[in-house]
Structure formats: structure tokens, C-alpha cells
Amino acid sequence: MVCRKMIEKRAVTVVGGGSFGTVLADLAARRGHSVRWWMRCAQQASAIRETGINSRYLPQRPVSDGVTPTTDLEWAVRGSDLVFMAVPSQSFRGVASRLGAYVGAAMVVSTAKGIEANGFHLMSDILAGELPGSRTGVLSGPNLAREVMDGHMTATVVASEHSEVCRSVQEVLRSHSFHVYSSTDYRGVELGGALKNIYAIAVGLASALELGDNTRSALVTRSLSEMTRFAVTLGADPVTFLGLAGVGDLIVTCGSRLSRNFRVGYALGEGKNLEQIGQELGQVAEGLDTLVLVRNKALQLGVSMPIVEGLYAVVVGGGSVRNVADVMAIWEQKADTELSLPTGGECLVPRQSIQEV
């Protein structure tokens, strides 16, 4: 275990007042770092300063001392060593564009698990465009916020082309219950975090329909093949999907009632419409937007994604919820696993390096 006296104290900024922003602020503060936490809502920031609790997203879970909530983005970011962008993908570019004037030499890491509609941009693409020259990375994995705050053993992956970004995130966040692994395949890590939300909706729907454990197991494993096939087409390393950002995140998102996307699917299976579901959920479920974007991109690229197509028919086309089960019945019966994808007769080999410090 690393002695606290040996830890280099850093100025950390968390941008975003949601559940995972709360987790990041708490983890960094527990390590003894100074944390400035930006959020849009002045009332929310004031309440957290008074009570130490983000009651909207993680009630009854106090945030550690050393966290200062604020609505002043310039104050939050200027002079920071490490900035975590924990805002939804829909508002990511707008916030990122404001950082340019303040971010300086800070490293910037995205935790958003979504895709921008205009141009099919990942969050790393947005950071590259809005913050040219900055050292950036992405963070993703099976990280249900409530369980992290409760101290359950959790692991995640930080991915970047810059080794210093990975080392810094590991130093700032790791603890006895929160393990941080590193990867160079930032596109694979990022796509894994976005794509699994789609399949969590499908599994939630299947669970509500009581299709059985065999069906759910088949659905999860075929989902892994489908999302890997799509991501590799976009330049990801297939081996990434055997790790935390792939199968790890897929398992927890498809199997937990704490998952917003699973709950959306379950509610669809119960016959509720999207308006009802949105009112009951009260939070963003990025899988719905991602579903439309990925379905259209798959058609453009010629990638076979029968689960996505079936779910799209239900969510967007207004088809019967049983349609997902029908699609499963006509899956193409090809090879069981698809890590050795066609590449001119050669098998793909791992390119990434994964390690824990």
C-alpha cells in the first residue's frame, strides 16, 4: 500500500454534478487532493456545501472533506493539474468549448459514455477538436456510482496515448477498493462504454418479458460479439472488449437494477412509453440516443447488428417489444467467437498494454 506522505498532491477539477462526478470528487478527496467540483445549478452547489451530500443523485452518501462545489467554471479549472469531464454527451461539446480559455496545461479525461449525434464523434474527438494540444484520455468500466460510494471493490480503465495521463489518473483515484488499470486503446475503451448501454436496454426488456436465464445469457454474449465487430470496424482493438471496458461493463450494465439503461429496457418490457420512463427515471439514459446513432452508422458501414436493429424497431419504429425475441430467433449461426476477425487471412493481435499500478 502506498504511504499517503509519498502521494503527490494535485489540484483536481471535476466538471459535472451527476452521480459519477460525485464519485470522482469523493475518490480524489479521499486521496488527499484538493478538489474543485463544478456544476451548473447554484442551488445544488449550495446544498452540497451545506450538507456534504449530493441529494439528487446519491442521497445519504456524504462526500469527503476537501471538495469545494462551485458554479464558476473559470475558478474551478484554472490552475488545475487534472480535469475530469463527467457531463452527459449531449452537453459535452458545449462545456468543453468553454474550457479552452482556462485549462492551460491540465490533463483532461472524459468519463462520458455516449456519442455526439452530429458526425458520430466520440468524446475524445471532441476534446481533440476543442482543446488542441491538450493531453487527454478517457475513463470507463463497470462503475456503478452507488456501489463505488459504498466502498465496494471496483475496477476501471483509463486509456490515453499519453502515459502521464494514465499514471496521473491512477495516482489520483486508486484506493484499496478502487483499482485503476491503464490502456492505450482509448477508442476501444470509449466505444465499449457507449455501446454497452444499448444492450443493457435489450437485456432489461428481455428480463421484463421473463424470457429466461438462457435467453439473457445468449443475449449478453451475442451483444459482446456484435459490439466488438462494430468497434473494430472503427479502429478499436478487439482484445479491449475482453476487459473491464468491454465485457466487464457489459455484465454490470446488463445485470443490475442500478443501471439506468437496464431500467429503461425493463420499463419498455412492462409496456410503458418513453415519456413515462423519462419521468420516472429522472436521469439521462444515454443508450436511447446511442441506439439511433449506432444503428444508422452500422447501416452506413455495412456492419451486421441484429440486436441493435431489433431494438431500434421497438424503440423508434413502434414495433412490439416481442420483436427483440423474434430477432434473436433468426440470428445468423456463424462462429461462436469473433476476436479473430477477417483481416486478409491474418488474425488480429493485441496492440494494447494493460496494467495496474
Side-chain angles (χ1 to χ4, degrees):
M1 185 173 182
V2 179
C3 176
R4 289 186 66 88
K5 293 181 179 180
M6 297 175 61
I7 299 173
E8 179 184 354
K9 304 307 180 189
R10 295 177 181 268
V12 178
T13 299
V14 176
V15 177
S19 56
F20 201 61
T22 308
V23 164
L24 294 169
D26 181 69
L27 287 170
R30 286 182 184 275
R31 291 280 286 173
H33 303 287
S34 173
V35 182
R36 287 167 283 179
W37 183 14
W38 179 85
M39 56 200 68
R40 295 182 187 275
C41 180
Q43 183 178 1
Q44 181 187 18
S46 177
I48 295 173
R49 283 194 295 269
E50 292 177 6
T51 66
I53 296 174
N54 190 350
S55 59
R56 178 180 176 184
Y57 291 97
L58 289 170
Q60 302 178 345
R61 289 168 175 81
V63 179
S64 300
D65 293 337
V67 177
T68 305
T70 181
T71 57
D72 186 337
L73 186 62
E74 179 178 1
W75 179 83
V77 174
R78 194 178 292 280
S80 182
D81 299 313
L82 178 62
V83 177
F84 290 101
M85 285 281 289
V87 296
S89 58
Q90 296 92 329
S91 55
F92 195 93
R93 184 179 292 276
V95 177
S97 67
R98 296 175 59 190
L99 293 184
Y102 318 131
V103 72
M107 293 168 278
V108 183
V109 176
S110 166
T111 70
K113 296 182 176 181
I115 300 168
E116 186 182 52
N118 185 17
F120 201 86
H121 294 125
L122 300 178
M123 301 304 103
S124 59
D125 299 326
I126 296 174
L127 290 180
E130 299 292 341
L131 304 173
S134 293
R135 293 164 297 169
T136 62
V138 299
L139 183 77
S140 189
N143 305 150
L144 296 173
R146 191 182 304 177
E147 292 193 358
V148 179
M149 287 293 286
D150 288 344
H152 294 300
M153 194 67 67
T154 303
T156 195
V157 180
V158 57
S160 176
E161 294 179 321
H162 306 279
S163 59
E164 185 180 355
V165 172
C166 294
R167 286 195 302 269
S168 296
V169 172
Q170 289 173 320
E171 292 169 3
V172 166
L173 296 182
R174 64 176 177 165
S175 69
H176 71 283
S177 62
F178 195 80
H179 298 256
V180 185
Y181 293 81
S182 67
S183 169
T184 57
D185 182 24
Y186 65 93
R187 295 197 74 80
V189 168
E190 201 167 13
L191 281 165
L195 293 170
K196 54 86 183 180
N197 288 329
I198 298 173
Y199 301 106
I201 297 174
V203 174
L205 194 156
S207 298
L209 295 177
E210 298 182 347
L211 297 182
D213 292 337
N214 289 345
T215 301
R216 285 194 297 272
S217 176
L219 183 53
V220 170
T221 51
R222 298 316 303 166
S223 294
L224 180 62
S225 291
E226 189 168 296
M227 63 193 282
T228 303
R229 182 166 61 245
F230 179 80
V232 168
T233 304
L234 294 177
D237 186 335
V239 177
T240 297
F241 290 83
L242 295 180
L244 291 164
V247 66
D249 206 359
L250 183 66
I251 288 171
V252 75
T253 310
C254 289
S256 174
R257 297 299 178 96
L258 297 178
S259 161
R260 295 189 294 270
N261 292 284
F262 178 93
R263 284 151 55 196
V264 166
Y266 199 93
L268 283 171
E270 291 179 317
K272 298 177 181 177
N273 60 45
L274 291 179
E275 183 178 355
Q276 289 176 290
I277 295 169
Q279 292 173 350
E280 293 176 3
L281 197 60
Q283 299 182 46
V284 174
E286 301 215 72
L288 291 171
D289 291 332
T290 305
L291 168 65
V292 177
L293 296 173
V294 170
R295 185 261 184 177
N296 293 337
K297 190 70 171 180
L299 290 177
Q300 176 188 338
L301 296 173
V303 178
S304 173
M305 302 188 80
I307 300 172
V308 165
E309 195 62 44
L311 189 60
Y312 180 89
V314 171
V315 175
V316 180
S320 167
V321 295
R322 289 280 175 182
N323 187 67
V324 173
D326 294 339
V327 167
M328 291 173 60
I330 58 172
W331 275 333
E332 294 177 323
Q333 298 180 44
K334 295 184 177 180
D336 179 27
T337 57
E338 300 182 47
L339 286 183
S340 297
L341 297 172
T343 57
E346 297 179 359
C347 292
L348 293 176
V349 295
R351 296 190 307 269
Q352 65 175 349
S353 172
I354 302 177
Q355 58 181 339
E356 180 194 14
V357 175

